[in-house]
Amino acid sequence: MGRWIQGNCDRTGYFEGLDTEEFPESVLEMLKEASLFYHVPAAYLFPVPDMLKKDSLNFFQVDHNWVLAMLDGICSVGRNASIDYSNDTELIVDIYRQALRENEQVRLKLQDREYMDTGEQVPEVISGFLLNSVLTENFRGLEFRAYDQREGGEPLKALRIETLGRQVLLGIFKGEIRRLEIAQPPEGLHFGFFTEDGIMKKTVRDIEEGKLGGRQAELVLKSKENRVIDVKASAARLEEAAGLQNMTSAEFALEMIQNAQTGVFTMEEELK
């Protein structure tokens, strides 16, 4: 807390006579961060233990009144009488709105990206999610895309996506989340197959055009315990299904390519 108030909100009536252009930039930056719950103890963010239940995904909406009360508390240091609050109120309300409107700068600054002021007002709804899963720890670079529609739509603007612990991750977006997609990072090369009635299968791809066809090949498992396939035997079956002779390693790799996994979570139309 000492960093927040040092040399800024540390005496009575400090804001009296100031306009928004004279407001200390360091304090404004801190208010932007606080509006996204930076510097807020976890006990205040997660008062219900179930929100941090293992292997859980919880969604929430931000209460603007709660945020405004918190920001007001930050700037209340040094107030000793009600007249101090009267002097500050008009200016502080404008500062709060500015902090909420421009808080997307925080994420862009961390990413070393430039902020472009589009003149947007304070969003009516800010929502987010809290993920507690081994995915957070074991799958670095996961991508999160939120939408305000159950199907289609443009992605919502991310305000904060950050790990709060080894397995806990917090995401905050502008707008109401109706659908959330969690995807593995696409920059790697993924191999995979699908399972049908306990049998591993792969849809054969046309080598010339690279398109998936209607034929399928059954893959051979070498070690079920270690989850290892028999490459030679599986290649022979892919070769037969694809109508090839002497399948090369490149052709085998092309047949085994699989898109990165994506998990999709959708909200009910209306909470009852």
Side-chain angles (χ1 to χ4, degrees):
M1 291 292 291
R3 185 179 70 84
W4 292 9
I5 63 177
Q6 183 179 5
N8 295 306
C9 303
D10 57 353
R11 64 179 184 274
T12 303
Y14 180 84
F15 299 116
E16 185 177 4
L18 289 176
D19 58 33
T20 55
E21 294 183 357
E22 298 173 324
F23 193 83
E25 184 65 27
S26 59
V27 179
L28 181 59
E29 289 299 317
M30 183 273 301
L31 293 179
K32 294 175 186 177
E33 295 175 359
S35 71
L36 297 175
F37 309 126
Y38 286 94
H39 320 300
V40 179
Y44 293 107
L45 288 180
F46 319 125
V48 182
D50 283 353
M51 294 184 68
L52 287 176
K53 188 183 298 183
K54 186 177 180 181
D55 298 324
S56 65
L57 176 64
N58 293 279
F59 294 88
F60 61 86
Q61 286 192 12
V62 174
D63 186 336
H64 284 305
N65 291 327
W66 191 94
V67 174
L68 290 175
M70 177 181 64
L71 300 188
D72 177 68
I74 293 172
C75 291
S76 68
V77 179
R79 289 182 192 154
N80 297 314
S82 59
I83 191 172
D84 299 329
Y85 182 75
S86 300
N87 289 336
D88 296 348
T89 298
E90 185 175 350
L91 171 64
I92 288 178
V93 168
D94 290 337
I95 292 298
Y96 291 165
R97 288 173 180 164
Q98 183 178 351
L100 290 171
R101 183 172 64 85
E102 298 178 358
N103 59 10
E104 64 183 84
Q105 292 182 15
V106 177
R107 177 173 168 82
L108 294 175
K109 185 176 181 180
L110 290 173
Q111 296 176 334
D112 199 23
R113 293 164 56 192
E114 186 176 353
Y115 169 73
M116 299 292 292
D117 189 354
T118 59
E120 295 182 16
Q121 299 303 309
V122 176
E124 293 185 8
V125 179
I126 294 178
S127 59
F129 68 88
L130 183 68
L131 174 67
N132 185 0
S133 171
V134 293
L135 290 174
T136 304
E137 181 179 11
N138 296 336
F139 289 84
R140 297 294 181 181
L142 284 175
E143 296 186 351
F144 299 87
R145 292 183 292 272
Y147 301 83
D148 59 2
Q149 299 180 32
R150 290 167 60 86
E151 295 182 5
E154 293 294 323
L156 298 177
K157 186 174 294 184
L159 297 177
R160 182 182 182 186
I161 299 178
E162 187 169 350
T163 55
L164 304 182
R166 290 177 58 187
Q167 297 187 3
V168 178
L169 185 141
L170 173 69
I172 303 177
F173 294 82
K174 270 189 177 180
E176 181 181 2
I177 299 177
R178 307 296 293 179
R179 183 175 90 253
L180 177 68
E181 296 180 355
I182 305 177
Q184 290 180 272
E187 64 268 14
L189 186 63
H190 298 261
F191 292 161
F193 49 84
F194 67 93
T195 304
E196 186 175 81
D197 297 328
I199 300 174
M200 300 181 303
K201 296 183 179 181
K202 188 69 179 179
T203 302
V204 176
R205 190 183 302 272
D206 184 275
I207 294 297
E208 297 297 328
E209 298 184 2
K211 297 180 180 180
L212 294 174
R215 292 168 296 175
Q216 295 178 350
E218 293 185 9
L219 304 183
V220 181
L221 194 62
K222 184 176 183 179
S223 171
K224 185 175 182 179
E225 181 180 352
N226 296 322
R227 302 171 63 189
V228 177
I229 68 169
D230 188 321
V231 174
K232 185 175 181 179
S234 297
R237 295 194 176 183
L238 284 169
E239 182 180 82
E240 180 181 357
L244 299 174
Q245 293 183 350
N246 301 320
M247 175 180 279
T248 66
S249 59
E251 291 170 337
F252 177 76
L254 180 62
E255 293 291 353
M256 291 298 296
I257 285 177
Q258 183 91 1
N259 288 337
Q261 294 295 310
T262 299
V264 181
F265 300 85
T266 56
M267 304 296 103
E268 295 295 333
E269 288 296 334
E270 185 176 350
L271 296 177
K272 300 293 185 182

